[in-house]
Structure formats: C-alpha cells, structure tokens
C-alpha cells in the first residue's frame, strides 16, 4: 500500500499542470451537470409552492362579454363541494402607463376594486411595502412582474392612462399575484382602493366587468364539474376561461429551456471528461510503459499498478467534485432567482430544492471516474517487462504504430511535397488518432454550444424580424386603444386614408370562442375557451403567417393554433363548431399556425364571421398599420401618437415586442454565457492535456528536430497548426450542429408552449465569429502545452 501511495503521489507531483487541468475539468463537469439538475428540480417546485401557499386558481373566469350572468355563475360554483372560489372581483381595463417620463404602451391592465379579506383563493403575498387589508387612498398594489420589468419600487408614482385624463397613483406595495404575475406577459392586475375605484371610474364611459378564480381540491376532476355545470344550467360557459396550463406556462418556460440545454450539454461534457480521463490514463501508461515494466519485473503486481491510478484520480476527483457541488448551488441559485424573480418575496432568495439530487450527481460522477480509471488502467495488466524495456510499448502496439505511419492515408498526404511545419503537424494528428478524434469532437461541441447560444439570443432580441413566425402580425406600426369609449376610430381612419405614406391598415379586436364537449371526444366533458383574433382587413397583407394552409378570408373560415389542433385532433379541411357571442357557428379550418401567446390555444376569424352574429360589432383593440417606407415608421408613429395620445398609444411593432422579450433575453444571456465559457475553458484544458501527453511521448523526436537546427518556435507552430486545422473542421461541423440539430431539441421543449418550429435568425457573421472561439481555445491550448519544447534542451529531450 505504501508503494502504491508513493507512486500515486509521484505521478501527481510529476505532472502538476496536467493534473491541475484534469481536476478543473472534473470540477466544471460537476458544476454544469449539478447546476442543471438543481434548475430542473426547481423548475416546477417554486411555482407549485407559491401556488399552494396562495391557494391559487386552477381556472380564471372573466366576464367581459355579457353572455353569462356573473352572479349566477359565481353562486353555482360557490355551492360545489371540493371547490373554492375567490370573491367576485370587479374591474375595469386600461392600456399602457407612463413612468419616469417613459411611455409604456404594451401593458394590458385590470384595474381591480380590491375586496375586503379574507380571500379563499388567490391570496396576495406581499413582496415589499406595508401589508394591509386594502391599498390606502391614492395608492395601488402592483404585481412583482410589472415591478421587475420596469424597475418600479414602493413609493414611486405611476401614471395610468384613462383617455384624455391621467390617473396618478402611488405604489404602496408590490405583491405576488400568481394568476397575472408571470414574467414576459403584458397583462397585470392593479389593486386599487375601493373608494378610489368608485371615484376615478365613475365619470369614465364603459361598465364594470367581473372575474373569479376557481381552486379545485383535485384539478383532475375539473371536467366532471364542468359537465355537471352544462347539464344543470342548460347552457355552456361562453365567457373567457383561463386554464391552469396558461397560468403556469410563462413561469416555467425559461427554466425548462435553460435546464434542458444545461442537462444535455452537461451530460455531453461529462462524457467528454470521462473519455479524456481515460485517454490520459491510457497515454500515461504508454508514456511510462518502460518504467511500469521495470517495476513489474521488481515484483509490483498488476492490481497494485492499477491501484496507483485509482488512488491518483480518486484524490483529484474528491478535490474537484466537492467545490463543483458547492459552486453549482450558488450558480443555480443565481439563475433561478433571476428567472423566477416574480415569485420572490422581499430581498431574500427563493427556497432551493434539489441539493440532494445534485449530491447524488457528484457521487455518480466520482464513481464514473473511478470506473473509467479501472477500465483504462487495466491495460497495465498486459505489460510484459521485456517488451516494455525493449520497445517502450507492447510489440503489438509498436507494429500497429508503424503500420499507421506507413498507411495509404499517410502516404496519400504526400509528406515529401509538404512544408516541414505541415508535415510535423499532420504527423502528430495521424500518430495520435484517439486524441485527434477527441479534439475534433470537443471543438465540434464547443462551437455548436457557442453558436446555439448566439443564435437563440439573436432570435429573441431580434424577434421583431420574425414576429409573424411567433404568431404575431408583421405590421410596421400598432395603434393600441387605451380607452375604447373615447377612441375616435372614424377620425383615425380618415387620417390614415389621407396620408400618402400609409400603405394599408387592418383593425383587430378579440372575442372568446367556446368549443363545446360535443365538438371532440378528447375534451372529456368540458367546454374550452379559445382566444379568437377578429380582423377587419387582410391577414396576409398584415403579415400573419401559418404553418400549413392559409388564413381565413371568408365568413365561415378559421385558422387555428397548433394547441387547438392538438387538443381537438383537427386539421386542414375539418369543421369546428364554436359559440361566438352566444350563438353557435360552424367553421372550416383553412390554416394551422403557431403562437407563443395563449399556448397556441387560439384562432383567427374575419370580422364578417362576428358580424353574422352581431351586425354592430366594432370592438377594436388595435389598428395595424403598414407604411410604404419602413424607415419612416418611427417618425409616422410619433406623429400619430401625438395626435391621438388621449385615447390610443401608437408605436412601432419593434417597441411593443421589445417591451415583452427584452426581459427574456436578459435572463437567458447569463446561463448561455456560463455554458459557453465553460466549454471554451474545457476545450483549452483537454487540448492542453492531450497535446502535452503526445509531446511527452514524442519528446525524443522533437529533441532530434532541435538538434538538427529546427527552432522551438517552429516546432511549436507546427503542432499548433495541425491542431488548428483539426479545430477548423470541428468548428464547421459545430456550426451545422448548433444551427440545424440542437434547435430540434429546443423545439421538443417549446412545442408544449405553442411553438413547434423555432423561428431562428441566422446572422452568419456572428455565427462564424462565435464558432471561431473554439478554434482560438484549441490554438491557445496546443501552444501553451508545447512550452516544454521551448524550455528543454535537445539533449534532455532525447534522454527523456
């Protein structure tokens, strides 16, 4: 045992730099995999914990169409066993705010008349500010999502747009409002003092609307309740119903994407780390072949020879795994705190789970390292002392190496016709095929990860360029109605018609369509609400796209989201029955599209379809405007906004999308930057290690080169040139993997959120730059590893 320990320590002290890098490699593998496990473990737990804590809604019923009696619906649900309901909440809607001189148009606000506690469902949790039963006069409570997105703090005054007048209210508290507090959404509930609500909205045109939340003791039974509701009331629920899946989706989407990417790439890194350790041991045995043979001739058994490597890497693994686990807790906590900031209360961190799972990952990684050490170190069993002393390797290996160097591939390269530097670099790659394959695989993965991160971030930050593929319009300007009762639609129409800069205009409203249980056997006895876009205009002209088929043009046509198609098992040419404005209509499906909003549980119909039920329908939410010269869009939007600012907010489409997706991009950049940096570092480490091993094996050859007049710089340049050439091939393969293959894995995650084909923006200049980072890491690793050639004399190299 003493001899084994002494040999192990000698190996550790002899190759300090290489062992340091191996330790760092194990640490980084542990860090990435453990971080991914913790993030995945907390993906749903944090939301579920807060949902349970607030006794959150499983469904939200919104009464804004006048098609169901709110009081009657509330009374029916309040009488059911196994169900709890919130108070019947009164609200008015507003659009947009102004804060610190900044106009924020893309906010759809429910101005709530705060009822007196206690609440059975959707209890508000105070994140900051003094807790009280209701907001003080002149103040409001706002959700954490809105506060985080626009950096609003307690004590700030927010200007709420009410048409020609403005409503200035002070923020007295920031609350966690689970149903309407998810990140990346543009809807928020603003909780007002009851007296303020009555006074501020008394003079405004319009009427009060209502909403209520339903919490089921067992959410899986909700279909049976709705089946009984339909049979007892003899009418389906025709208003808007928001499902639990929609409530939870935006809380979970970022963490699921990040966790999915990290666990996949972490597993890849772990495999690469284990293979690298195996190669290191294999090459170390080969480099010390003669020494091992001498030791075996002196009586050291094969088992003890293997034990020396086990002890060596067990020590390195312990040193690496423990800090890796500790760092993973801090890194995952940082990422989770950012991605679920809307669930945080106060300045404290969100509670963490998954630490035990991360520790199991560390133990598993340690066990895998030992297993690979044993598997690769078993090669020491076959070492024959005589062959080791004579060849410095087995006779079989010596013959195989000679054949490889004289193989048709080596001859086809034409060494005699190439410069000396190229010959040395290529010879190094051919002679060390396993190391070359590892470097090729590593640079491919590193480039693919860097390219994927760049492409995803570019696609999110530039979403306005692919808005139609995410389910939005592609118009240049949007006029968002702030106050429907005072909005001068005819006046804006006239202005747009007379302006020669305007190309075309479309007017959009939205209604709720209700699919009855009879429409599909998959609906399990309950009606389902669809968000229906109603367009007075041409969908094609305004840039709405479909995956298959076309958008509706006639009264009896509809295009549906992929969520609806999946839920109802419908496709092009099928018929679908919908209740619109209380009356049933049959539509033919002409198109299927994807949309990240509403999980693609939505549809598109023409205004004529609604007017067949309600001839006076003029419920406009937004006007989409295309201009002849897109470069003038910002100027035209500013001019129109100044003219109609009392009742509408008119901005470019880019402004609207940036207000939602800039937050997502800022959250996503941190984990992707971490993964990219780790892979660059791992590329450097592994290539340094493999090159260092091959240089030591070839030390005698390089000593001869120096003795006949080659400079150290030229030899090092030759080695680096070969590695760079290999890394160039790897980076090209990495571009293909990062652009075309890895996004397919992301689509598996996003398909549940309504996106089945990720709309990527491919900026090839940036892609090439990021792919080249792996080449730079490879070149640096090979160059630094060859310092031993510069520092050693030809005599010492030959002796070694």
């Amino acid at each position: 045992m003493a001899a084994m320990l002494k040999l192990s320590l000698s190996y550790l002290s002899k190759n300090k730099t290489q062992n340091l890098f191996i330790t760092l490699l194990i640490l980084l593998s542990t860090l990435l995999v453990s971080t991914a496990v913790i993030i995945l473990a907390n993906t749903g737990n944090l939301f579920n914990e807060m949902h349970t804590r607030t006794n959150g809604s499983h469904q939200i019923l919104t009464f804004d169409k006048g098609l169901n009696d709110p009081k009657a619906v509330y009374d029916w649900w309040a009488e059911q066993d196994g169900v709890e309901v919130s108070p019947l909440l009164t609200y008015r809607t507003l659009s947009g705010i102004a804060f610190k001189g900044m106009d924020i148009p893309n906010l759809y606000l429910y101005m709530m008349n705060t009822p007196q506690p206690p609440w059975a469902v959707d209890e508000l949790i105070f994140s900051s500010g003094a807790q009280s039963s209701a907001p003080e006069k002149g103040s409001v409570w706002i959700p954490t999502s809105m506060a985080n997105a626009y950096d609003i703090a307690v004590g700030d005054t927010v200007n709420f747009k009410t048409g020609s007048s403005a409503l200035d209210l002070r923020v007295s508290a920031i609350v966690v409002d689970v149903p309407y507090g998810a990140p990346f959404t543009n809807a928020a509930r603003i909780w007002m003092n009851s007296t303020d609500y009555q006074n501020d909205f008394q003079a405004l045109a319009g009427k009060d609307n209502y909403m209520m939340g339903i919490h089921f003791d067992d959410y899986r039974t909700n279909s049976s309740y709705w089946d009984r509701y339909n049979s007892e009331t003899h009418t389906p629920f025709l208003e808007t119903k928001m499902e639990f899946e929609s409530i939870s989706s935006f809380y979970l989407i970022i963490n699921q994407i990040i966790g999915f990417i990290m666990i996949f790439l972490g597993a890849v890194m772990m495999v690469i780390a284990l293979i690298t350790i195996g190669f290191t041991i294999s090459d170390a045995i080969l480099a010390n072949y003669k020494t091992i043979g001498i030791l075996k001739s002196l009586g050291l058994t094969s088992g003890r020879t293997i034990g020396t490597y086990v002890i060596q890497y067990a020590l390195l693994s312990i040193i690496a795994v423990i800090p890796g686990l500790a760092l993973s807790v801090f890194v995952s906590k940082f990422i989770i705190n950012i991605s679920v900031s809307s669930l945080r209360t106060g300045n404290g961190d969100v509670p963490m789970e998954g630490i035990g799972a991360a520790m199991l990952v560390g133990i598993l990684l340690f066990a895998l390292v030992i297993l690979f050490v044993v598997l690769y170190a078993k090669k020491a069993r076959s070492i024959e002392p005589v062959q080791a002393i004579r060849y410095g390797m087995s006779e079989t290996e010596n013959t195989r190496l000679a054949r490889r160097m004289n193989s048709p591939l080596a001859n086809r390269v034409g060494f005699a016709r190439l410069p000396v530097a190229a010959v040395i670099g290529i010879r190094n790659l051919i002679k060390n095929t396993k190391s070359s394959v590892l470097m090729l695989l590593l640079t491919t993965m590193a480039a693919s990860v860097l390219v994927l991160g760049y492409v995803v971030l570019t696609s999110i930050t530039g979403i306005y360029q692919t808005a139609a593929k995410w389910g939005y319009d592609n118009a240049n300007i949007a006029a968002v109605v702030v106050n429907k009762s005072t909005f001068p639609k005819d006046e804006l129409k006239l202005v747009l018609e007379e302006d020669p800069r305007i190309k075309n205009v479309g007017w959009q409203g939205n209604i709720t369509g209700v699919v009855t249980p009879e429409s599909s056997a998959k609906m399990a006895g309950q009606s389902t609400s669809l968000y229906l876009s109603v367009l007075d205009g041409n969908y094609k002209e305004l840039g709405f796209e479909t995956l298959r088929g076309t958008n509706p043009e006639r009264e009896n046509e509809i295009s549906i989201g992929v969520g609806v198609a999946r839920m109802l098992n419908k496709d092009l040419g099928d018929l679908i029955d919908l209740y619109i404005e209380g009356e049933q209509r049959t539509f033919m499906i002409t198109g299927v599209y994807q949309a990240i909003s509403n999980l693609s549980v939505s549809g598109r119909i023409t205004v004529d379809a609604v007017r067949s039920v309600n001839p006076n329908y003029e419920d406009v939410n937004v006007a989409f405007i295309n201009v002849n010269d897109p470069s003038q869009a910002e100027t035209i939007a500013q001019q129109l906004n100044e003219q109609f600012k009392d009742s509408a907010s008119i901005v470019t489409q880019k402004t609207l999308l940036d207000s939602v997706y800039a937050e997502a991009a800022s959250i996503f950049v941190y984990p992707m930057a971490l993964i990219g940096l780790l892979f660059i570092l791992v590329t450097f480490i592994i290539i340094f290690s493999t090159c260092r091993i091959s240089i030591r094996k070839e030390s005698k050859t390089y000593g001869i080169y120096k003795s006949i007049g080659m400079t150290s710089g030229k030899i090092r340049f030759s080695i680096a040139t070969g590695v760079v050439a290999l890394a160039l091939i790897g980076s090209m393969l990495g571009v293909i993997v990062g652009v075309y293959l890895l996004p397919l894995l992301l689509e598996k995650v996003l398909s549940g959120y309504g996106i089945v084909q990720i709309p990527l923006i491919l900026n090839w200049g940036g892609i090439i730059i990021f792919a080249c980072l792996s080449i730079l890491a490879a070149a640096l690793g090979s160059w630094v590893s060859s310092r031993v050639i510069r520092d050693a004399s030809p005599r010492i190299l030959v002796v070694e």
Side-chain angles (χ1 to χ4, degrees), residues 90-243:
T90 308
Y91 74 91
R92 295 282 190 100
T93 57
L94 295 178
S95 296
I97 63 171
F99 178 64
K100 292 184 177 179
M102 178 175 60
D103 184 53
I104 305 171
N106 194 28
L107 267 180
Y108 190 76
L109 304 173
Y110 296 92
M111 309 300 291
M112 311 299 297
N113 184 3
T114 307
Q116 289 297 314
W119 299 0
V121 173
D122 288 332
E123 178 186 352
L124 299 178
I125 304 297
F126 285 75
S127 176
S128 60
Q131 184 169 349
S132 59
S133 59
E136 301 173 355
K137 289 191 64 175
S139 70
V140 290
W141 299 339
I142 67 171
T144 49
S145 56
M146 179 177 167
N148 294 336
Y150 304 107
D151 199 23
I152 303 174
V154 172
D156 290 339
T157 298
V158 178
N159 179 276
F160 296 89
K161 301 175 181 179
T162 59
S164 57
S165 60
L167 186 60
D168 291 324
L169 295 171
R170 180 178 57 85
V171 177
S172 60
I174 296 172
V175 297
V176 177
D177 185 5
V178 174
Y180 286 93
F184 329 126
T185 57
N186 62 345
R189 292 199 290 199
I190 308 299
W191 300 90
M192 298 181 63
N193 177 274
S194 184
T195 303
D196 287 341
Y197 180 89
Q198 298 295 335
N199 294 338
D200 293 333
F201 290 108
Q202 191 74 33
L204 294 180
K207 60 183 180 64
D208 290 339
N209 296 315
Y210 301 91
M211 72 169 62
M212 59 178 283
I214 304 174
H215 178 92
F216 297 91
D217 290 350
D218 183 357
Y219 178 54
R220 295 171 295 181
T221 63
N222 79 90
S223 59
S224 62
Y225 283 95
W226 281 107
D227 188 38
R228 189 160 70 248
Y229 172 87
N230 293 335
S231 62
E232 291 182 9
T233 60
H234 307 291
T235 181
F237 182 74
L238 301 173
E239 300 280 357
T240 304
K241 177 161 56 112
M242 182 166 64
E243 305 288 348

Side-chain angles (χ1 to χ4, degrees), residues 276-305:
T276 303
I277 292 170
F279 282 174
T280 303
I281 294 172
S282 181
D283 288 330
I285 291 174
L286 192 59
N288 296 302
Y289 210 90
K290 187 175 294 186
T291 303
I292 295 173
I294 294 172
L295 291 172
K296 291 187 74 173
S297 69
L298 294 175
L300 186 69
T301 64
S302 297
R304 292 192 173 189
T305 303

Side-chain angles (χ1 to χ4, degrees), residues 49-63:
E49 187 274 335
M50 185 59 73
H51 191 267
T52 301
R53 181 179 171 186
T54 61
N55 203 33
S57 298
H58 289 115
Q59 293 174 335
I60 298 284
L61 309 185
T62 304
F63 303 86

